[in-house]
Every structure is written in structure tokens, then in C-alpha cells.
Amino acid sequence: MTGLAVGSGRTAASALAGTGTLVRLGLRRDRITLPIWIMIFVAMAASSATATVGLYPTTGSRVQAAASANGTPSLVALYGRVYDPTSLGALAMLKMTALGAALVAVLTVVTVVRHTRAEEEAGRLELLGAAVVGRYAALTAALLVAAGAGLTLGLATALALIAAGLPAAGSVAVGLAWTGVGTAFAGVAAVAAQLARSARTATGIGAATLGLAYLLRAVGDSAGPRGPGWLSWLSPVGWGQQIRPYAGERWWLLLLLAAFAGLTAAGGYALVARRDIDAGLLPDRPGRATASAGLRSPLGLAWRLHRGALAGWTAAFVLLGAVLGSIASSAGTLLNTPQARDLITALGGQQGLTDAFLAAELGIVGVIAAAYGVQAALRLRAEETALRTEPVLATAVSRTRWAASHLVLALGGSTVLMVGAGLGAGLTHGAHTGELGRQLSRVLGSAVLQLPATWVVTCIVVAFFGLAPRLAAAGWAVLVAFLLVGELGPVLKLSQWVMDISPFGHLPKVPGGPVTAAPLGWLVAVAGLLAVAGLGGFRRRDIG
């Protein structure tokens, strides 16, 4: 611990000693994951641009498509607005400007936490601190790796979009917007890593901040002329979108993102100096002198480990559902174009549009619930690598009981989240329409029907944990791949068998759409088989 201490006489140079070495170490550790992530983002942007060029070859077709998108509140909430209806680039990047920036932010948050708080939690940073490593070196190295990855990703994306035939200025704006938002949330992660004592909690803080930022942007963009449109300007994701690539770029907003990144990073540095190594600034609540009766079983221990995160996620999901239900109730009043009115008619009138909005939003909420499932299932691997599993298994607790307890909390937790979102959306939507009982049951049932796909993703992580534990973190990549297939598959006209790879593609479009039991049953069966395979593999392999 003394190796990382910084006395009052230390210079700034000594506080940053060893930064270059840690940067090289971080790049070596991420030499596979970062290039894969960058290639995924670049391919995603380039494919979207290439497909759109063929779909909307004329100005008239682009104007009509943009009017339909801008007149559909669900699309505006999810992706934002098309600010120049005649621009091919603005239409091509509709889905990717805000959503892509948010995904880049996820990458930078995970990267910063991985190279700061996770290293402290594992005890490696304290060992490095015994050498010539300054107090601020680890945080600086993590920020440099994350910002460098974001800049590389942004420049590569810009070049790919230019190669796809889109204007150079707008393409550079897209890449820099992604870089700016990613760097801004790298600063958020720097603060979170100082507040929390565990990497899991720090990542949760970063993810919750990102979710709030995206929600503010969604509510602000879809609020209508008299609504709280100013909420979008409270969100770094909204700032990235307001750069308006291909629609009269606002370059000055990059300075706002840079200022936000600088302020949050400075906050991280200030907090580093105020805490001890392996400690967080959020107070640790002292435990009881004797364990409660609830900790006498593996399930009780798992509940104790998961309950804090689950409570935070549940509160966020209930709030998210309430906001979505409120927006759905007034979706039709925000439509003011002939194309949008034609869309309402095609969907079955006002009720059809509302159902379509809720179905789209609940699908996205289901993907977010799957992210919780991945995080909760990865606790198995975190407990094992932190050497906390072996002492538990040295007692009368079997491997299967221990692993199954975390699996139950991962699957049950995602279920609680979707029920919370369904209740929030159903109550607010029912209160606005005057059909509380009917709408509550419809929306709650629709939310629950998203769960089989969420369970499949969670059980994929469990299968990795049991059969190939070093690949357990690849569950995040699997979730992102499923998301990209669902978002870009129809645009790229992928083969149906490719679309069928994603479990989310087999879910019914409810409320409003037909429900078939067979696909849901198959998804549950696949989740069960993956869980059995993971638990069986864990029984046979070595620990550690």
C-alpha cells in the first residue's frame, strides 16, 4: 500500500511514473478484445451505410422515409431524429448515431474499470505499486487506453463511411461524435472506479449513468414541440447526436464533450488522492458480528451478493417503464405528417400505433434485462477468480448447489426487472387511457414474454463458465452480436437463418401481435440445455 502513496513533496512527474509501462500492459491485455470491438463497430456502420444507399436512391424516397421516422415517436425515442430529410447520410446513420455512441460508451466504461478498480480488487495494482509506479499512473493509463480505443474506432468508422459513399464531413462528424461520447463516459468511469470498492459496482454506476443519459435524450427528443425537449441537452449522448452529422455539422459540440470528459477525469484524479488503495469512497456498511440465518445456504449467500445491484436495476426499470408508458399514451398526438398518419392506418389506427411503440420499447427493455443477466451470471467467474469459491466448496456445499444459486438469482433477477418495467409501463399507460386493469394486464404480459430470450443469453454465460471459463466474459460480445443482428438484419437483408440466430428474433411482437407458444417453448428449452451444460462442466473441471 505504501508503494502507491503520494507524499506532499512528490512532483506531478513522480505521480505519473510508470504510466507508459501500464499503457503497454493494458494494450497487451486487450490486444484481442479491443480490435474485435473496433471491427464490429466499423462493420456495423459501413454495412448500414451501404444498405441505405441502395434502399433510398432518390431524394423523394429519402424525404418520405425521414418523415415516417420523425413522425413515429418510438423511433425518435430509440434513435433520435433525421435533421436533414434529403440527406442520405443522415438517414443511413439514423440508427447508429445515438445508439452507436452509447455502445462505444459501454466499451470505454468497461475498459477504464477493467484497468483500475478491477486491478485493485484482484490485488495486482498493489503489487505494481511496490515498483516505481505513481499514484495517478493506473488511472492515466486506463484513460489513455480507453480514449485511444475510442479515437481509433472513430477514425476507422469515418474512413469506412467515406468508402461507402457518404460525404466526408458528415462521416468524420459521426466518428468524432462516437469518440467524444466514449471519452466522456471514460471520465464517468474514472469517477465510478474511485467511488466503489468492487469493479462490479463501479461498472454498474457507469452503466446506470449511461442509461440515465440515454433516457434523458430519448424523452427530450420525443417530447414534441411543447414538451421538455431541453432534457436532451442534459445528456452527453444527446450532445453527440446534436452534432448532426450530414445535416449541417455543429463542430462546437465536440468541445462540450471534451470539457465534460476533462471535468469528470479531473474528478477521478481528485478522488484518487483522497482514498487508500483497495478502498472506495462510498462507505462500507459494517457487518453483523454473527451471520444471519439467511447466510447458512448458498442461495442466501448469493442473494446477499446480488441484492444491492438488483435493487438498483429494479428501480431503474420501474422508472423506465413508467416513462415509456407515459410516452406511449400520447404517441398519436405527436404525429403531424401525412406519411405518419398513413403509418397509423397501416398499423391499425391509434391503438395499433401505441401497441407498436410498446412492442418496440419492450423489446429494447428485454435486451437491457439480458445485460443484467450477463452481469449477474458473470459473478460466478468473479467469485472464482477472487478465490472466494474454494472456501465455500470446502464445506458441505456442492459445486452444483453453489453455481445454481447464482443462476437462480440471475434468471430470477431478470424476471423481476421485466415485471417491474411492465408494471411501470402498464400503470402509467392505463392511467392515461382510463383502462387501468386492461392495459396493466396487457403490458405486463407483454413484458414477461420477453424473458425467454433473456434467459437464453444468461445461460450462454453459464455454459461458458462451466465449459470454457476463460471465455465467460464473451457473453457481452454475444449479447452485442444478437443486438446488431436484430437492428441491422432487416436493413442489410440478411438471410433468415442468420436472423434466427438471435433469440430475440423469435419473440412475439406484443402487445398487438399474435403469440405462438412453440418458439417460446424452444427458447426455454435451449436455455435449460445451456444451463445444464454449464453446471455439468463446472462439476468436472478444476477450480481457478
Side-chain angles (χ1 to χ4, degrees):
M1 191 178 297
T2 57
L4 284 181
V6 178
S8 58
R10 290 275 186 105
T11 65
S14 64
L16 295 173
T19 298
T21 301
L22 292 184
V23 168
R24 292 192 294 273
L25 176 62
L27 291 175
R28 176 173 175 76
R29 292 185 63 198
D30 292 343
R31 66 186 183 277
I32 296 177
T33 56
L34 283 182
I36 290 176
W37 276 100
I38 291 173
M39 288 188 292
I40 288 176
F41 278 104
V42 172
M44 178 174 62
S47 300
S48 180
T50 303
T52 307
V53 170
L55 286 176
Y56 306 106
T58 65
T59 301
S61 63
R62 293 194 287 271
V63 170
Q64 184 175 2
S68 297
N70 288 338
T72 308
S74 60
L75 293 180
V76 175
L78 285 174
Y79 308 119
R81 293 187 175 276
V82 180
Y83 291 102
D84 183 358
T86 65
S87 171
L88 178 63
L91 191 61
M93 296 306 294
L94 169 63
K95 287 190 173 184
M96 299 313 307
T97 302
L99 182 60
L103 293 175
V104 174
V106 172
L107 173 61
T108 57
V109 167
V110 171
T111 300
V112 171
V113 173
R114 168 179 167 84
H115 294 297
T116 53
R117 177 52 64 181
E119 291 296 280
E120 285 191 45
E121 190 176 9
R124 289 187 289 265
L125 192 57
E126 188 172 2
L127 294 176
L128 290 173
V132 186
V133 175
R135 177 73 170 184
Y136 302 135
L139 179 58
T140 304
L143 290 172
L144 288 174
V145 171
L151 181 59
T152 302
L153 189 155
L155 294 177
T157 299
L159 293 175
L161 293 176
I162 294 172
L166 298 184
S171 300
V172 172
V174 170
L176 291 181
W178 283 10
T179 300
V181 175
T183 305
F185 278 94
V188 172
V191 174
Q194 314 315 316
L195 296 177
R197 190 174 182 180
S198 69
R200 187 166 176 264
T201 304
T203 303
I205 293 173
T209 305
L210 175 59
L212 177 61
Y214 202 89
L215 179 61
L216 289 173
R217 182 215 60 81
V219 174
D221 285 357
S222 59
R226 298 182 180 180
W230 53 269
L231 288 175
S232 296
W233 289 95
L234 299 180
S235 165
V237 179
W239 303 340
Q241 188 182 45
Q242 288 297 327
I243 293 173
R244 299 189 179 184
Y246 309 106
E249 291 78 12
R250 298 174 169 182
W251 301 103
W252 63 271
L253 282 165
L254 291 172
L255 298 177
L256 186 58
L257 287 167
F260 181 87
L263 288 174
T264 51
Y269 283 111
L271 295 177
V272 165
R274 294 177 176 271
R275 67 176 183 85
D276 293 330
I277 189 72
D278 197 33
L281 291 175
L282 294 178
D284 291 330
R285 188 174 62 182
R288 297 170 53 180
T290 58
S292 65
L295 293 176
R296 295 176 182 174
S297 68
L299 184 60
L301 176 60
W303 165 249
R304 177 65 181 82
L305 295 173
H306 288 270
R307 67 182 185 184
L310 180 57
W313 278 81
T314 302
F317 266 62
V318 172
L319 176 60
L320 176 60
V323 171
L324 295 178
S326 179
I327 295 175
S329 303
S330 57
T333 62
L334 302 178
L335 303 178
N336 53 13
T337 65
Q339 293 84 0
R341 286 192 290 270
D342 292 341
L343 181 62
I344 293 179
T345 303
L347 290 172
Q350 170 70 35
Q351 184 60 48
L353 177 66
T354 302
D355 286 346
F357 173 86
L358 286 171
E361 300 300 329
L362 288 176
I364 296 297
V365 173
V367 174
I368 302 174
Y372 168 82
V374 171
Q375 183 191 55
L378 285 175
R379 188 64 188 242
L380 287 164
R381 183 60 177 165
E383 291 293 298
E384 181 182 9
T385 56
L387 305 180
R388 291 189 290 265
T389 299
E390 290 183 83
V392 176
L393 297 181
T395 66
V397 176
S398 68
R399 293 191 180 196
T400 302
R401 285 184 63 202
W402 175 80
S405 64
H406 287 274
L407 175 60
V408 168
L409 266 297
L411 298 179
S414 59
T415 302
V416 170
L417 297 185
M418 291 307 298
V419 170
L423 287 174
L427 288 172
T428 54
H429 181 48
H432 278 81
T433 60
E435 300 177 321
L436 182 58
R438 177 174 177 271
Q439 295 299 337
L440 177 60
S441 61
R442 292 179 73 244
V443 176
L444 179 58
S446 300
V448 172
L449 287 176
Q450 309 299 315
L451 284 171
T454 299
W455 293 340
V456 169
V457 176
T458 302
C459 291
I460 287 175
V461 177
V462 175
F464 278 141
F465 168 74
L467 301 173
R470 291 176 180 267
L471 299 179
W476 290 115
V478 171
L479 177 59
V480 171
F482 288 158
L483 176 62
L484 295 181
V485 168
E487 291 294 322
L488 299 180
V491 176
L492 302 178
K493 297 182 178 179
L494 298 179
S495 301
Q496 187 59 43
W497 69 269
V498 178
M499 299 286 291
D500 289 340
I501 293 176
S502 172
F504 299 99
H506 300 277
L507 298 175
K509 305 300 181 183
V510 288
V515 178
T516 305
L520 298 175
W522 279 110
L523 289 175
V524 173
V526 169
L529 290 175
L530 289 169
V532 170
L535 295 177
F538 180 61
R539 287 183 59 190
R540 292 188 294 271
R541 69 172 177 84
D542 292 334
I543 301 294

